[in-house]
Amino acid sequence: MDEDDIRDFLVQNPDYFQKNPELLGLLQIPHSTGAAVSLVERQVSVLRDRNVDLRHRLRDLGSTAKDNDQMFADTRELVLGLLPAQGPEELESALIKVLRDTFDIEYASLTLFDDGDEHSDAVRRVPESQLKGKLGSLLVRGSAGCGALRADDFAFLFPGAQLVGSAAIAIIEDNGKALGALAVGSSDAGHYDSDMGTLFLEFAAEVVAGLLARIERS
């Protein structure tokens, strides 16, 4: 019988040492410190390490669940805060408020694309070509773009802000038609970068698009 036969036998008979407990005390396994320990001690050490690992995993799962619960609550507050809006100006005001108060976003703006008609509200409107000319590298249909901005581009996106910063921008679309852009910004030029997740901002843009479509039909 060679080592492979012994290994196969033990694999096929995992209760062998339960039936022969006296053998456990005779087995010696080198420890990383150089000392020899019995198999029982080694098993206890392995189980202890596994227990610590499991506790860490449970803690991480609990933290993730807590974060998800908070994100759901915040997203719910966003949607419920926007639903009562009866016009673009009310929608913009509610949107900026919830982004700043609930999500602690430093800068936020809603820009609608100019369709050439007269509007009674005070929401900023610019030609789509103008926004693309200033921030074309960050404008991506179907997703949000992130990056650092020069002071003049940052001020264009967030009127009154005279600084170098970073921003994330999502196009607001309804049935393939670009209605405008939703942007969030930071005075930290490295805060919004290409590695940042943008799922929430894209979702917020979809909600705004749906509400704008409803407002136009009413």
Side-chain angles (χ1 to χ4, degrees):
M1 177 179 290
D2 57 22
E3 292 183 2
D4 290 337
D5 294 329
I6 296 173
R7 182 175 62 249
D8 292 341
F9 173 79
L10 292 175
V11 169
Q12 295 170 14
N13 298 272
D15 61 345
Y16 178 76
F17 288 109
Q18 287 181 298
K19 296 177 180 179
N20 301 273
E22 71 280 1
L23 297 178
L24 291 174
L26 301 177
L27 296 176
Q28 299 291 321
I29 300 177
H31 191 268
S32 58
T33 61
V37 297
S38 71
L39 181 59
V40 173
E41 292 172 310
R42 179 60 176 169
Q43 286 179 318
V44 169
S45 176
V46 170
L47 290 174
R48 185 183 299 114
D49 291 341
R50 287 180 179 174
N51 187 37
V52 171
D53 181 58
L54 287 173
R55 287 204 304 270
H56 289 166
R57 291 187 183 185
L58 286 172
R59 182 190 61 195
D60 292 342
L61 286 173
S63 177
T64 299
K66 184 177 179 180
D67 290 344
N68 288 340
D69 286 345
Q70 186 61 53
M71 177 57 73
F72 173 78
D74 292 345
T75 303
R76 178 177 179 272
E77 187 167 342
L78 169 73
V79 174
L80 294 180
L82 300 184
L83 284 178
Q86 297 299 310
E89 193 168 356
E90 290 184 18
L91 179 61
E92 177 191 38
S93 177
L95 177 64
I96 301 305
K97 184 178 188 304
V98 73
L99 288 177
R100 289 179 175 172
D101 294 349
T102 302
F103 293 91
D104 198 27
I105 290 173
E106 192 174 1
Y107 294 93
S109 70
L110 173 64
T111 302
L112 300 183
F113 294 144
D114 184 14
D115 55 12
D117 298 329
E118 293 292 331
H119 299 278
S120 59
D121 58 76
V123 177
R124 185 174 72 146
R125 286 177 167 81
V126 302
E128 183 178 1
S129 59
Q130 183 179 4
L131 191 66
K132 285 183 176 179
K134 296 286 286 184
L135 305 164
S137 62
L138 298 186
L139 300 180
V140 182
R141 289 289 187 93
S143 62
C146 302
L149 297 178
R150 298 174 302 179
D152 58 335
D153 291 337
F154 197 87
F156 174 79
L157 195 57
F158 308 105
Q162 301 293 329
L163 51 87
V164 173
S166 60
I169 310 173
I171 295 294
I172 300 168
E173 293 184 274
D174 180 47
N175 292 323
K177 178 184 178 182
L179 304 178
L182 171 60
V184 293
S186 170
S187 55
D188 178 357
H191 183 75
Y192 293 102
D193 59 29
S194 58
D195 294 328
M196 174 170 282
T198 58
L199 184 61
F200 170 75
L201 187 62
E202 292 159 14
F203 170 75
E206 291 177 357
V207 172
V208 172
L211 292 175
L212 284 173
R214 184 206 68 184
I215 290 170
E216 289 182 357
R217 290 194 298 267
S218 61

